[in-house]
Amino acid sequence: MTADIRFAPATGIGSLPGGDAREAARTATGSFEDFPFLPELPARGPGADMIGRTAGMLVELYARVEPSGWRIGDRPGRDTKRARSWLGEDLDALEEFTQGYEGQLKVQAVGPWTLAAALELRNGEVALSDPGACRDLAASLAEGLRLHLEDVRARVPGAQIVLQLDEPSLIAVLRGHVRSASGYRTHRAVDRQVVEAGLRDVVGVHADGPVVVHSCAPDVPFALLRRAGAAAVSFDLSLLTERDDDAIGEAVEGGTRLFAGVVPGTDTALSDPAGSVMGVRTLWRRLGLHPGLLAEAVTVTPSCGLAGASPEYARKALAHCAQAARSLADNPE
């Protein structure tokens, strides 16, 4: 199913610094002529953060900001309205800079399990504590994403929409490491089949386009994500260990695209573009894969979002990703 999808060579993860939607859209579209993305600007405050932004997309579920975080409520309040307003502003800016665009375009939302690990129920515990609440949340998210994708298609009708689900808490959910409200205990691990089924239901909402699952945590469950229908897996290359090799090799051979995060997400001195993808080449040699597959199998990205970077570094990092991808294509060995 995924083998015939060809992804562009480089893109961003999602978040950028600052609060100017037009400037962010100009950066995201100008850095990647064939794979721009819808920027997220969490510096604007609650509702622009990844949890609040996705909570604003939910259908018939609403969330408000409490001192402890985002909590599900009975009706849409000012926090929901603010989240939706900022998303609309971001979409307006993206539409302005993608007139006539016909390539791939990536939009991001928090996946069902990270959302369940972050959104609180009325009793203060996260939705993850209640299997029924998890199912309701996933269903609401799926419907909200369906409407969001329809909106993006209407605004940029020539684009092939790629949906990215951000799941930084997925490993904690699988291992029972998500803390309770008291902080003295953790919620029990969710069965892997339940996690896979929940992901599959949300991935399935984008039936006419590919879904990428992003996690910049260690031990990304490549096989589980592939079974759930992900066409690509996005990860921080620096966190890989040799025990990931078999799963990555199977993923590549099965047609799954690797979104390799090779450029640091916060300000640092950048090496030359060829040096930034040296780890990808090393991985390829270790796996015994044909170098000619590299450009077909790997999309170069920052290691995680760039919200914590300076605006100047963020622009440099995105440009560096595009240059590193060209280096990988020109010199795969």
Side-chain angles (χ1 to χ4, degrees):
M1 181 178 68
T2 59
D4 58 347
I5 296 170
R6 297 184 67 85
F7 287 94
T11 190
I13 292 297
S15 67
L16 291 176
D20 186 328
R22 290 188 75 254
E23 181 58 34
R26 180 185 290 111
T27 298
T29 55
S31 301
F32 306 108
E33 292 180 358
D34 50 2
F35 203 177
F37 61 97
L38 174 64
E40 302 164 357
L41 301 173
R44 292 180 296 196
D49 60 297
M50 63 189 294
I51 298 299
R53 183 181 183 89
T54 302
M57 297 180 190
L58 297 175
V59 172
E60 295 182 359
L61 284 179
Y62 311 102
R64 64 180 186 273
V65 179
E66 297 286 343
S68 54
W70 285 89
R71 182 171 296 182
I72 294 172
D74 295 320
R75 59 185 67 86
R78 64 181 182 184
D79 296 322
T80 297
K81 291 172 184 171
R82 184 168 51 209
R84 291 175 176 173
S85 174
W86 271 328
L87 177 59
E89 186 180 308
D90 294 338
L91 286 166
D92 287 345
L94 182 74
E95 184 178 358
E96 178 184 345
F97 287 97
T98 51
Q99 292 294 308
Y101 177 70
E102 295 187 341
Q104 289 179 321
L105 170 66
K106 184 165 69 65
V107 299
Q108 306 82 220
V110 175
W113 295 107
T114 294
L115 203 60
L119 280 184
E120 298 173 358
L121 302 174
R122 291 171 183 80
N123 63 5
E125 290 294 352
V126 291
L128 190 69
S129 64
D130 181 337
C134 288
R135 288 191 293 272
D136 291 346
L137 190 57
S140 174
L141 174 62
E143 180 61 14
L145 285 174
R146 187 185 65 76
L147 296 172
H148 176 54
L149 291 166
E150 276 184 9
D151 186 15
V152 177
R153 281 190 208 98
R155 291 169 178 268
V156 195
Q160 180 194 12
I161 310 299
V162 177
L163 172 62
Q164 176 180 302
L165 296 175
D166 293 317
E167 282 283 13
S169 299
L170 186 61
I171 303 303
V173 168
L174 287 165
R175 294 184 176 171
H177 292 170
V178 177
R179 292 202 166 274
S180 65
S182 68
Y184 294 121
R185 63 181 182 85
T186 56
H187 296 289
R188 68 175 61 183
V190 181
D191 182 88
R192 294 180 79 87
Q193 290 184 320
V194 173
V195 169
E196 183 183 323
L199 269 170
R200 188 183 299 111
D201 288 345
V202 177
V203 167
V205 78
H206 193 34
D208 58 350
V211 176
V212 183
V213 179
H214 167 69
S215 174
C216 48
D219 300 322
V220 175
F222 286 90
L224 184 153
L225 297 178
R226 289 177 58 217
R227 291 194 303 270
V233 179
S234 173
F235 56 92
D236 180 346
L237 185 75
S238 71
L239 298 179
L240 290 187
T241 67
E242 291 194 17
R243 68 173 180 267
D244 297 307
D245 283 3
D246 288 346
I248 294 173
E250 288 174 12
V252 172
E253 290 174 351
T256 302
R257 183 80 172 198
L258 305 180
F259 279 44
V262 301
V263 178
T266 52
D267 291 41
T268 188
L270 294 173
S271 69
D272 67 290
S276 292
V277 287
M278 190 63 71
V280 179
R281 295 188 180 97
T282 301
L283 171 67
W284 229 244
R285 285 194 293 271
R286 208 165 66 222
L287 295 175
L289 294 169
H290 192 280
L293 277 175
L294 258 177
E296 293 178 19
V298 175
T299 292
V300 176
T301 72
S303 58
C304 211
L306 293 165
S310 67
E312 182 184 12
Y313 176 82
R315 287 190 292 271
K316 284 182 180 176
L318 296 180
H320 195 86
C321 288
Q323 293 160 0
R326 281 195 292 273
S327 167
L328 204 57
D330 293 344
N331 302 294
E333 298 187 72

Coordinates of all heavy atoms in Angstrom, one line a residue, residues 190-239:
V190 N -1.0 0.6 28.1 CA -2.1 0.2 27.2 C -1.6 -0.9 26.3 O -0.5 -0.9 25.8 CB -2.6 1.4 26.4 CG1 -3.7 1.0 25.4 CG2 -3.0 2.5 27.3
D191 N -2.5 -2.0 26.1 CA -2.1 -3.1 25.3 C -1.7 -2.6 23.9 O -2.4 -1.8 23.3 CB -3.3 -4.0 25.2 CG -3.0 -5.3 24.4 OD1 -2.6 -6.3 25.0 OD2 -3.3 -5.3 23.2
R192 N -0.7 -3.3 23.3 CA -0.2 -2.8 22.0 C -1.3 -3.0 20.9 O -1.3 -2.1 20.0 CB 1.1 -3.6 21.7 CG 2.2 -3.4 22.6 CD 3.4 -4.2 22.1 NE 4.1 -3.6 21.0 CZ 5.1 -2.7 21.1 NH1 5.4 -2.2 22.3 NH2 5.7 -2.2 20.0
Q193 N -2.1 -4.0 21.0 CA -3.1 -4.2 20.0 C -4.2 -3.0 20.1 O -4.7 -2.6 19.1 CB -3.8 -5.5 20.1 CG -2.9 -6.7 19.7 CD -3.6 -8.0 19.8 OE1 -4.3 -8.3 20.7 NE2 -3.3 -8.9 18.8
V194 N -4.5 -2.6 21.3 CA -5.4 -1.5 21.5 C -4.8 -0.2 20.9 O -5.5 0.6 20.2 CB -5.8 -1.3 23.0 CG1 -6.6 -0.1 23.2 CG2 -6.5 -2.6 23.5
V195 N -3.5 0.0 21.2 CA -2.8 1.2 20.7 C -2.8 1.2 19.2 O -3.2 2.2 18.5 CB -1.4 1.3 21.2 CG1 -0.6 2.3 20.5 CG2 -1.4 1.6 22.7
E196 N -2.5 0.0 18.6 CA -2.5 -0.1 17.1 C -3.8 0.2 16.5 O -4.0 0.9 15.5 CB -2.0 -1.5 16.8 CG -1.8 -1.7 15.3 CD -1.4 -3.2 15.0 OE1 -0.6 -3.7 15.8 OE2 -1.9 -3.7 14.0
A197 N -4.9 -0.4 17.1 CA -6.2 -0.2 16.6 C -6.7 1.2 16.7 O -7.3 1.8 15.7 CB -7.2 -1.1 17.3
G198 N -6.4 1.9 17.8 CA -6.7 3.3 17.9 C -6.0 4.2 16.9 O -6.6 5.1 16.3
L199 N -4.7 3.9 16.7 CA -4.0 4.6 15.6 C -4.6 4.4 14.3 O -4.7 5.3 13.4 CB -2.5 4.2 15.7 CG -1.6 5.0 16.6 CD1 -0.2 4.4 16.7 CD2 -1.5 6.5 16.1
R200 N -4.9 3.1 14.0 CA -5.4 2.7 12.7 C -6.7 3.5 12.3 O -6.9 3.9 11.2 CB -5.6 1.2 12.6 CG -5.9 0.7 11.1 CD -6.2 -0.8 11.1 NE -5.1 -1.5 11.5 CZ -5.0 -2.3 12.6 NH1 -6.0 -2.3 13.5 NH2 -3.9 -2.9 13.0
D201 N -7.5 3.6 13.3 CA -8.8 4.3 13.1 C -8.6 5.8 12.7 O -9.3 6.3 11.9 CB -9.7 4.3 14.4 CG -10.2 2.9 14.6 OD1 -10.2 2.0 13.7 OD2 -10.7 2.6 15.8
V202 N -7.6 6.4 13.3 CA -7.3 7.8 13.0 C -6.6 7.9 11.7 O -6.8 8.8 10.9 CB -6.6 8.5 14.2 CG1 -6.2 9.9 13.8 CG2 -7.4 8.5 15.5
V203 N -5.6 7.1 11.5 CA -4.9 7.0 10.2 C -5.8 6.9 9.0 O -5.7 7.5 8.0 CB -3.8 5.9 10.2 CG1 -3.2 5.7 8.8 CG2 -2.7 6.3 11.2
G204 N -6.8 6.0 9.3 CA -7.8 5.7 8.2 C -8.6 6.9 7.7 O -9.2 6.8 6.6
V205 N -8.7 7.9 8.5 CA -9.5 9.1 8.1 C -8.9 9.8 6.8 O -9.6 10.4 6.1 CB -9.6 10.1 9.3 CG1 -8.4 10.9 9.4 CG2 -10.8 11.0 9.1
H206 N -7.6 9.5 6.6 CA -7.0 10.1 5.4 C -6.7 9.0 4.4 O -5.6 8.8 4.0 CB -5.6 10.8 5.9 CG -5.0 11.7 4.8 ND1 -5.8 12.4 3.9 CD2 -3.7 11.9 4.5 CE1 -5.0 13.1 3.1 NE2 -3.7 12.8 3.4
A207 N -7.8 8.5 4.0 CA -7.8 7.3 3.1 C -7.2 7.6 1.7 O -6.6 6.8 1.0 CB -9.1 6.7 2.9
D208 N -7.3 8.9 1.3 CA -6.8 9.2 -0.1 C -5.4 9.9 -0.1 O -5.0 10.5 -1.0 CB -7.8 10.1 -0.8 CG -8.1 11.4 -0.1 OD1 -7.7 11.5 1.1 OD2 -8.8 12.3 -0.6
G209 N -4.7 9.8 1.0 CA -3.4 10.4 1.1 C -2.5 9.7 2.2 O -3.1 9.0 3.0
P210 N -1.2 9.9 2.2 CA -0.3 9.2 3.1 C -0.3 9.9 4.5 O -0.6 11.1 4.6 CB 1.0 9.3 2.5 CG 0.9 10.5 1.6 CD -0.5 10.7 1.2
V211 N -0.1 9.0 5.5 CA 0.0 9.5 6.9 C 1.4 9.2 7.4 O 2.0 8.1 7.2 CB -1.0 8.9 7.8 CG1 -0.8 9.3 9.3 CG2 -2.4 9.2 7.3
V212 N 2.0 10.2 8.0 CA 3.3 10.1 8.7 C 3.1 10.1 10.2 O 2.3 10.9 10.7 CB 4.3 11.3 8.4 CG1 5.6 11.1 9.0 CG2 4.4 11.5 6.9
V213 N 3.7 9.2 10.9 CA 3.6 9.3 12.4 C 5.0 9.8 12.9 O 6.0 9.2 12.6 CB 3.3 8.0 13.1 CG1 3.2 8.2 14.6 CG2 1.9 7.6 12.6
H214 N 5.0 10.9 13.7 CA 6.2 11.5 14.2 C 6.4 11.3 15.7 O 5.5 11.5 16.4 CB 6.2 13.0 13.9 CG 7.3 13.7 14.6 ND1 8.6 13.6 14.3 CD2 7.3 14.6 15.6 CE1 9.4 14.4 15.1 NE2 8.5 15.0 15.9
S215 N 7.6 10.8 16.1 CA 7.9 10.8 17.5 C 9.4 11.0 17.6 O 10.3 10.4 17.0 CB 7.6 9.4 18.1 OG 8.1 9.3 19.4
C216 N 9.8 12.1 18.4 CA 11.2 12.3 18.6 C 11.6 11.8 20.0 O 12.5 12.3 20.6 CB 11.5 13.8 18.5 SG 10.4 14.9 19.4
A217 N 11.0 10.7 20.4 CA 11.4 10.0 21.6 C 12.2 8.7 21.2 O 12.1 8.3 20.1 CB 10.1 9.5 22.4
P218 N 12.9 8.1 22.2 CA 13.7 6.9 21.8 C 12.7 5.7 21.6 O 11.6 5.8 22.1 CB 14.6 6.7 23.1 CG 14.5 8.0 23.8 CD 13.2 8.6 23.5
D219 N 13.2 4.7 21.0 CA 12.5 3.4 20.8 C 11.2 3.5 20.1 O 10.2 3.0 20.5 CB 12.3 2.7 22.2 CG 13.6 2.5 23.0 OD1 14.6 2.1 22.3 OD2 13.6 2.7 24.2
V220 N 11.2 4.2 19.0 CA 10.0 4.4 18.1 C 9.6 3.0 17.7 O 10.4 2.2 17.2 CB 10.3 5.2 16.9 CG1 9.1 5.3 16.0 CG2 10.7 6.6 17.3
P221 N 8.3 2.6 17.9 CA 7.8 1.3 17.5 C 7.5 1.2 16.0 O 6.3 1.2 15.6 CB 6.5 1.1 18.4 CG 6.0 2.5 18.5 CD 7.2 3.4 18.6
F222 N 8.5 1.0 15.2 CA 8.3 1.1 13.8 C 7.3 0.1 13.3 O 6.5 0.4 12.5 CB 9.7 0.8 13.1 CG 10.6 2.0 13.2 CD1 11.5 2.1 14.2 CD2 10.6 3.0 12.2 CE1 12.4 3.2 14.3 CE2 11.5 4.1 12.2 CZ 12.4 4.2 13.3
A223 N 7.4 -1.2 13.8 CA 6.5 -2.2 13.3 C 5.1 -1.9 13.6 O 4.2 -2.1 12.8 CB 7.0 -3.6 13.8
L224 N 4.8 -1.5 14.8 CA 3.4 -1.2 15.2 C 2.9 -0.1 14.3 O 1.7 -0.1 13.9 CB 3.4 -0.8 16.7 CG 2.1 -0.5 17.3 CD1 2.1 -0.7 18.8 CD2 1.6 1.0 17.1
L225 N 3.7 1.0 14.1 CA 3.2 2.1 13.3 C 2.9 1.7 11.8 O 2.0 2.1 11.2 CB 4.2 3.2 13.3 CG 4.5 3.8 14.7 CD1 5.5 4.9 14.6 CD2 3.2 4.4 15.3
R226 N 3.8 0.8 11.3 CA 3.5 0.3 9.9 C 2.2 -0.5 9.9 O 1.4 -0.3 9.0 CB 4.7 -0.6 9.5 CG 6.0 0.1 9.2 CD 7.1 -0.9 8.9 NE 6.7 -1.7 7.8 CZ 7.0 -3.0 7.6 NH1 7.7 -3.7 8.6 NH2 6.7 -3.6 6.5
R227 N 2.0 -1.4 10.9 CA 0.7 -2.2 10.9 C -0.5 -1.3 11.0 O -1.6 -1.6 10.6 CB 0.8 -3.2 12.1 CG 1.8 -4.3 11.9 CD 1.5 -5.4 12.8 NE 1.5 -5.0 14.2 CZ 2.6 -5.0 15.0 NH1 3.8 -5.4 14.5 NH2 2.6 -4.6 16.3
A228 N -0.3 -0.1 11.7 CA -1.4 0.8 11.9 C -1.7 1.6 10.6 O -2.7 2.3 10.6 CB -1.1 1.8 13.0
G229 N -0.9 1.5 9.6 CA -1.2 2.1 8.3 C -0.3 3.3 8.0 O -0.5 4.0 7.0
A230 N 0.7 3.6 8.8 CA 1.6 4.7 8.5 C 2.4 4.5 7.3 O 3.0 3.4 7.1 CB 2.5 5.0 9.7
A231 N 2.4 5.4 6.4 CA 3.2 5.3 5.1 C 4.6 5.7 5.4 O 5.5 5.4 4.6 CB 2.6 6.2 4.0
A232 N 4.8 6.5 6.5 CA 6.2 7.0 6.8 C 6.3 7.1 8.3 O 5.3 7.3 9.0 CB 6.5 8.3 6.1
V233 N 7.5 7.0 8.8 CA 7.7 7.2 10.3 C 8.8 8.3 10.4 O 9.8 8.3 9.7 CB 8.2 5.9 11.0 CG1 8.5 6.2 12.4 CG2 7.2 4.8 10.8
S234 N 8.5 9.3 11.2 CA 9.4 10.5 11.4 C 10.1 10.3 12.8 O 9.4 10.1 13.8 CB 8.6 11.7 11.3 OG 9.4 12.9 11.7
F235 N 11.4 10.5 12.9 CA 12.1 10.2 14.1 C 13.4 11.1 14.2 O 13.9 11.6 13.2 CB 12.4 8.7 14.3 CG 13.2 8.2 13.1 CD1 14.6 8.2 13.1 CD2 12.6 7.8 11.9 CE1 15.3 7.7 12.0 CE2 13.3 7.3 10.8 CZ 14.7 7.3 10.9
D236 N 13.9 11.1 15.4 CA 15.2 11.8 15.6 C 16.3 10.7 15.4 O 16.5 9.8 16.2 CB 15.3 12.3 17.1 CG 16.6 13.0 17.4 OD1 17.6 12.9 16.7 OD2 16.6 13.7 18.5
L237 N 17.1 10.9 14.3 CA 18.1 9.9 14.0 C 19.1 9.7 15.1 O 19.6 8.6 15.3 CB 18.8 10.4 12.7 CG 19.9 9.3 12.2 CD1 19.1 8.2 11.5 CD2 20.8 10.0 11.2
S238 N 19.4 10.8 15.9 CA 20.4 10.6 16.9 C 20.0 9.7 18.1 O 20.9 9.3 18.8 CB 20.8 12.0 17.5 OG 19.7 12.5 18.3
L239 N 18.7 9.4 18.2 CA 18.3 8.5 19.2 C 18.2 7.1 18.8 O 17.9 6.2 19.7 CB 16.9 9.0 19.7 CG 16.8 10.4 20.3 CD1 15.3 10.7 20.7 CD2 17.7 10.5 21.5

